[in-house]
Amino acid sequence: MNAKKSLQAQLERMKKFYDAKLATIDDVDRLQSAFDTNIYQIESIKFDILATKRSLELKIGKKILNLDDSKFKRPYDESYELVDSTKSLMAQEEAIIKSSESIENIYYPNIRVEESYTIYKYDRTDAFHPEGAEKQNKILVSLNMRLFDGGTIKQDKQAILLNSQALNQKVLYKKQEQKIQYDLALSRIQTSKIKIKSAKSALVSAKSSFKTIEEKYNAGIVDNIVYLDALSTQTSAEALYKSSLNDLEIAYAMYYYYAGKNIGDYL
């Protein structure tokens, strides 16, 4: 927006010079072109922000009212733990192993013991219908055992174990991937800090240079080509500095994620 204000002010100033016959139409057109290009870029950026905002709303399932600047807490002795997705895979692997173990139980004998206790009451007894036992206690023992199944259970167990091995390889890969990304996130933080220092130094130099050239331009010492070039350099330096600040926050977000933390707790 600073570039827009500067260009607008210089464009109006140049139009006045042109009306007073102190500048050529080329001088006005060059500034007009730069001003219009700046407006085009601003509107393009606004649309990109809107599109990104809507995309983010779709992913998180929430309405975003504004996009305020946010910063992550700086790490202090944070512990490293596996991310939830890897923990879920490990739980699946454990469940599969237990499932394969339970299949073996099918070959073991299945013994069933049943006990019944009966009390009899006789309403009428005679010589032809003698009174029987008053009480009776029965114990029934049954044995079930699979003797032959054509190897079906064995094949089922092998299939389950193969799935378990494949899942185990996936878990190992995920663990290694997380550790690598965690180490890279730490390096990214240090690199981003160095970039910020460099970008800030470049911005200070660009602002100082633009201020000097703007004074010379207003005094008629340099032409508008030099002025526009200095303004462009300053604008690029500002964008680079803000981008480096954002990169640092992204680096912290990646660090917390690959440390197995809930990112929202550290904003």
Side-chain angles (χ1 to χ4, degrees):
M1 294 302 291
N2 290 333
K4 178 183 176 182
K5 291 179 180 179
S6 296
L7 285 171
Q8 188 172 15
Q10 293 300 336
L11 178 59
E12 291 174 356
R13 174 174 173 270
M14 189 58 66
K15 285 180 177 179
K16 291 179 181 178
F17 283 175
Y18 176 74
D19 292 338
K21 309 298 183 182
L22 297 176
T24 66
I25 190 63
D26 291 343
D27 296 328
V28 177
D29 288 344
R30 190 174 286 110
L31 284 171
Q32 183 68 58
S33 175
F35 178 76
D36 292 340
T37 300
N38 182 257
I39 295 296
Y40 176 86
Q41 292 172 341
I42 290 174
E43 294 303 316
S44 296
I45 292 173
K46 284 182 178 179
F47 177 79
D48 289 341
I49 292 174
L50 178 62
T52 302
K53 183 179 175 182
R54 291 292 182 265
S55 176
L56 185 58
E57 287 178 346
L58 184 62
K59 290 180 180 179
I60 66 176
K62 288 184 178 181
K63 182 73 175 178
I64 300 175
L65 300 178
N66 53 56
L67 292 173
D68 295 332
D69 291 337
S70 300
K71 288 183 177 293
F72 282 94
K73 296 177 183 178
R74 290 347 187 197
Y76 177 74
D77 195 25
E78 303 296 336
S79 59
Y80 175 88
E81 56 186 279
L82 295 175
V83 297
D84 290 341
S85 58
T86 302
K87 291 179 181 178
S88 177
L89 288 176
M90 292 173 66
Q92 292 179 37
E93 180 187 4
E94 185 178 355
I96 289 177
I97 291 175
K98 288 183 178 179
S99 175
S100 68
E101 292 173 351
S102 66
I103 287 181
E104 292 182 343
N105 295 336
I106 296 177
Y107 286 113
Y108 297 151
N110 184 12
I111 300 175
R112 184 178 179 181
V113 179
E114 296 178 88
E115 181 181 8
S116 63
Y117 186 79
T118 308
I119 298 176
Y120 298 100
K121 183 177 181 182
Y122 301 94
D123 294 331
R124 183 174 64 86
T125 60
D126 52 33
F128 298 100
H129 301 86
E131 184 177 349
E134 295 181 356
K135 302 174 183 178
Q136 188 177 40
N137 190 13
K138 291 182 180 179
I139 295 178
L140 177 64
V141 179
S142 60
L143 174 66
N144 246 343
M145 186 173 181
R146 185 184 292 262
L147 298 178
F148 180 74
D149 63 0
T152 302
I153 300 300
K154 183 178 181 180
Q155 291 175 0
D156 290 344
K157 182 179 178 181
Q158 288 177 344
I160 292 175
L161 289 176
L162 286 175
N163 288 334
S164 173
Q165 291 172 4
L167 198 56
N168 179 258
Q169 290 299 316
K170 190 173 182 179
V171 168
L172 292 176
Y173 174 81
K174 288 294 183 181
K175 286 181 177 180
Q176 185 179 18
E177 180 187 36
Q178 180 182 344
K179 188 61 173 63
I180 291 174
Q181 292 297 336
Y182 174 79
D183 293 337
L184 287 176
L186 289 173
S187 298
R188 188 188 297 270
I189 289 173
Q190 298 306 317
T191 300
S192 296
K193 289 179 178 179
I194 295 173
K195 286 182 176 180
I196 288 174
K197 290 181 179 179
S198 178
K200 186 175 182 179
S201 177
L203 178 58
V204 170
S205 298
K207 284 184 174 181
S208 176
S209 176
F210 175 72
K211 182 179 179 181
T212 300
I213 291 176
E214 186 177 35
E215 291 173 352
K216 290 182 178 180
Y217 178 70
N218 291 335
I221 300 176
V222 298
D223 59 18
N224 53 14
I225 295 178
V226 175
Y227 169 80
L228 291 174
D229 183 61
L231 179 60
S232 175
T233 300
Q234 177 182 268
T235 302
S236 297
E238 288 177 348
L240 186 63
Y241 177 64
K242 290 181 179 179
S243 176
S244 64
L245 294 176
N246 291 334
D247 287 344
L248 178 60
E249 299 308 317
I250 292 174
Y252 279 123
M254 296 180 68
Y255 164 78
Y256 285 121
Y257 175 78
Y258 288 111
K261 308 300 179 184
N262 182 3
I263 294 179
D265 294 339
Y266 293 86
L267 266 176

